[in-house]
Amino acid sequence: MEQLKKNIKAIGLPRIIIVAFLFVLIILAVVQQQNMGTLASDVLVRFGMNMVLSLAMLPAVMAGTGMNYGLPVGLLCGILGGLVSIEIGFRGGVGLVMAMVIAIPLAIAAGYLYGKLINAVQGDEMMVGTYVGYAVVSLMCMGWLILPFKDPAMIWPIGGSGSGLRSTITLSDNYDGILNNLFAFEIGGVTVPTGLILFGLIACGLVYLFSRSKTGICLKAVGDNPRFAVASGISVKKSRMIGTILSTVLGAVGIIVYAQSFGFYQLYNAPLNMAFPPVAAVLLGGATGRVCKISHVILGTFLFQALLTIALPVANQLMPEGGLSEVIRIVVSNGIILYALTQSGGEGDA
Amino acid sequence: MNENTPVLSMQNIEKAYYGNKVLKGVSLEVMPGEIHAICGENGAGKSTLMNILFGMPVIHNTGGFSGTISMDGEQVSIKHPSDAMKLGIGMVHQEFMLIPGFSIAENIKLNREPRKNGLLSTIFGKKLQKLDEDKMKSDSRAALDKLGLDVDEDIPVAGLPVGYMQFIEIAREIDKENVKVLVFDEPTAVLTESEAASLLAAMKKLAAEGVGILFISHRLDEVIDAADKVTIMRDGTWITTLNKKDTTMEHIAELMVGRKIDLSQKEESAKIDTSKVALSIRNMKVAMPGEVVRGLDLDVYKGEILGLGGLAGQGKIGVANGLMGIYPTEGEIMVGDKKLTLNNPKASIEAKLSFVSEDRRGVGLIPDTSIEMNMVIPAIVNQNRFLKKFGFMSQYDADAIRKNAENYIKELDIRCTGPTQPVRRLSGGNQQKVCIARALLLQPDVLLISEPTRGIDVGAKSLVLDTVVKLNKEYGLTVIMTSSELAELRLICDRIAIVTGGKITDILKPDDSDAKFGMAMSGISGKDGE
């Protein structure tokens, strides 16, 4: 009994509840005779394509700025990088790499400015971050219209030569699914997107190595106890700046990975609420506003995406009335996010 | 009322926090119209006694107390601050409990506002009665006049000088109709001399009207000036109650400090070599809230243990924090023959200063992180030790860190389950040793150690102190030890500098008389020109 209690404490009650919920859904799906092979493949794909985005939360939490609700700053840099790479004419694998190569310096610059702001509002990072996200997304809504992109595949076919970027930019004849299909194999009706998951795990590995470096230790000390850090001769502002920049860069890389799997870059209002699923994922994984580990990122992303992927077809079949599916999608995903946010107080001993 | 019945009588009060006795049978009587001073060092139990008198929740949440409290000869039970107020006990707080945006009158009548009926209250009942502003003003005026404070009761409290705020607090208490006992908890600590003088005058005026006054102060000259009787407490015990006319400032000081100290424990210290100055401080000012240093001069000689003593809030804690660059600092500080870059913790660490903070949990440790990482972080960050280089990347050297932690655990006898145990789970004494290990790991020339024994049990105390002495003797480490416990300073230090009002009042030898220490702590310099 004691041992059981200890185990429950180690895993955390929220995770047990979520896993139980997931099992109920899986059983329901089996009963409904859903195509389990497709569902499992979808879960793996969504897990892989969201991993880097969730990982972006880690440096921010580590440096003590809390969850990075300003993630759209990074997302926009990533999208811009992707679009520029297409405009220049890079295609396929080179296009994907070039998208990142272009996006990363943009993200460093944007992260620097965002970090300046974060350092000016110590204590309110999450609230301010949320609104920074909203503000830059709206700003870029104008940007997408006036930026001088010329590729006819990307701009509205209106006026003489056309102007203004389309709201979705397809990657179908470009690097759509290039990571997903890399080393992909099928086993028992389940397609495993090896390349995609590998990329996510490598990113996690790099962040793990970073956390063990001198800079990483500084970040962690600042996040755990800023006063200790000051007394130890660590610059709190610099560390928070590094954490913010890193988080923004991971956001930029994350959205490019996400887009290659999704098949589209989504512009305009699409990035508006994209900070919430990664936040919810790491919180479900056991992270708090102060502690976030790689294990939280991987476990949380998997649980969150698995729940979303399985809940929708199951709910659709339970309530097959036409317009309800979209409503249910919103209720389920926001419900899970809400539940995750209520857990953000943390359990101390996790 | 019989003139011989004390208005307040506390008998045999005992109180323990988690098995640690902080009051051991304290008794106290206050006559109507008497000013009764309570003197004692920090931690003597004065505030606990006052918390009991006010029925503060902290007392009843920790198991209550034993002993009896009577007012006007009748035993009373005070379970909550509202009980105390009903019984006519008033308190002038050390920190101002005033609402800045409210006017003086509103603050004075806060939560006791006179009310009158209006339109809304005739419909919706008492909850919506109007405030009787005229009565509020006239009542406040009367209370302010009683104190001789000539200020418009309509102006807001925000922006008033602190002295005025103190008087408004008092006005609020005396405005309560049935006030019988008023407690002044260090009322003059934030006042200028002239303000303090008029406060004492007001206090005497109130006493003349028959209010019993309990007066807590560290300023012995005020005690002698104002009080009729003086009760002295030490380590939670009642020492004595004296009539003012039977005593002197020196006598009170001696009784306050007077611990029998076993000086035999300290070996005859070798003559301090005053030729080599390890640290010289000139006109140091540190803006540390609550521990402000105001122009302090001090020389620390190589190889000595220098004690910094003094009462809480006088600035002794600020010295080490200023040297480490943690709080904004001005002045000229030389470490050896190099000038120290101020306000830069990294520069201080590079100058071979190393700090064990008085705030162990707040500054000293990362509570949820392992013992080994707590020890090495400053060494990694400032001295690039325990790192392996891989091109431009570095990785910490887990093996070296583990080995180092094991060494210190053995050397300092840290009781733990292993180097990876989170420091939060260690006892206070063992946490302190982790802090000391970290400070030593930086290979300092001067070790600053503040309140090393605060909040740790007696056994661990002597271990920590022994460690400090050992380091000093074996490695010739210069130590500046800041402590509120005079006894432990006198036990291990070569010289003890007493800080009062942000300056050194006196530098004493450990075997100087209790009276000398007491006088220095109340701000009276023993020597000329020091």
Side-chain angles (χ1 to χ4, degrees), chain B residues 35-39 166 184-201 203-204 213-230 244 247-249 252 256 314 522-524:
Chain B
I35 299 182
H36 194 122
I38 304 178
C39 294
Q166 185 82 69
F184 287 79
D185 189 359
E186 296 209 36
T188 57
V190 292
L191 302 186
T192 63
E193 257 170 59
S194 60
E195 285 170 337
S198 56
L199 181 110
L200 293 183
M203 225 161 73
K204 287 176 189 163
I213 289 178
L214 268 174
F215 175 44
I216 299 175
S217 178
H218 285 309
R219 296 195 187 166
L220 295 182
D221 45 344
E222 288 172 359
V223 169
I224 290 291
D225 174 21
D228 302 312
K229 274 190 184 163
V230 184
K244 177 178 68 176
T247 186
T248 60
M249 239 191 282
I252 298 174
M256 262 168 65
Q314 298 294 334
S522 57
I524 299 155

Side-chain angles (χ1 to χ4, degrees), chain A residues 209-210 212-214 217-218 220-221 224-225 227-228 230-234 349, chain B residues 345 349 359 362-366 369 378 380-382 384 394-396 425 438:
Chain A
L209 287 179
F210 170 77
R212 291 168 64 92
S213 71
K214 179 175 160 181
I217 289 170
C218 290
K220 205 163 160 356
D224 287 346
N225 185 348
R227 295 174 63 202
F228 172 93
V230 169
S232 303
I234 299 170
D349 280 40
Chain B
I349 292 171
D359 185 356
V363 177
L365 296 168
I366 309 182
T369 303
I380 292 179
V381 173
N382 295 292
N384 287 324
S394 57
Q395 290 284 289
Y396 67 72
R425 297 193 195 283
R438 183 185 53 239

Side-chain angles (χ1 to χ4, degrees), chain A residues 17-79:
Chain A
I17 292 173
I18 288 290
V19 170
F21 184 47
L22 188 59
F23 269 112
V24 172
L25 285 176
I26 291 173
I27 291 166
L28 274 176
V30 173
V31 171
Q32 290 175 349
Q33 296 180 322
Q34 303 266 7
N35 184 342
M36 295 312 285
T38 318
L39 270 185
S41 307
D42 283 354
V43 168
L44 287 178
V45 167
R46 298 196 57 135
F47 166 60
M49 68 198 258
N50 283 287
M51 206 177 342
V52 181
L53 288 176
S54 302
L55 187 65
M57 292 300 149
L58 194 138
V61 174
M62 209 159 96
T65 59
M67 293 295 162
N68 183 8
Y69 284 95
L71 192 65
V73 176
L75 303 182
L76 292 168
C77 294
I79 295 171

Side-chain angles (χ1 to χ4, degrees), chain A residues 277-298:
Chain A
V279 171
V282 291
L283 289 176
L284 277 188
T288 68
R290 305 182 50 80
V291 183
C292 182
K293 297 179 186 156
I294 304 268
S295 59
H296 298 150
V297 171
I298 295 175

Side-chain angles (χ1 to χ4, degrees), chain B residues 296-318:
Chain B
L296 176 140
D297 296 326
L298 182 64
D299 281 325
V300 183
Y301 303 118
K302 228 180 171 88
E304 72 167 337
I305 303 182
L306 177 84
L308 282 177
L311 294 164
Q314 298 294 334
K316 64 176 186 300
I317 302 282

Side-chain angles (χ1 to χ4, degrees), chain A residues 11-20 283-287 299 303 347 350:
Chain A
I11 303 167
L13 191 61
R15 265 156 303 298
I16 292 174
I17 292 173
I18 288 290
V19 170
L283 289 176
L284 277 188
L299 179 69
L303 285 179
E347 326 86 278

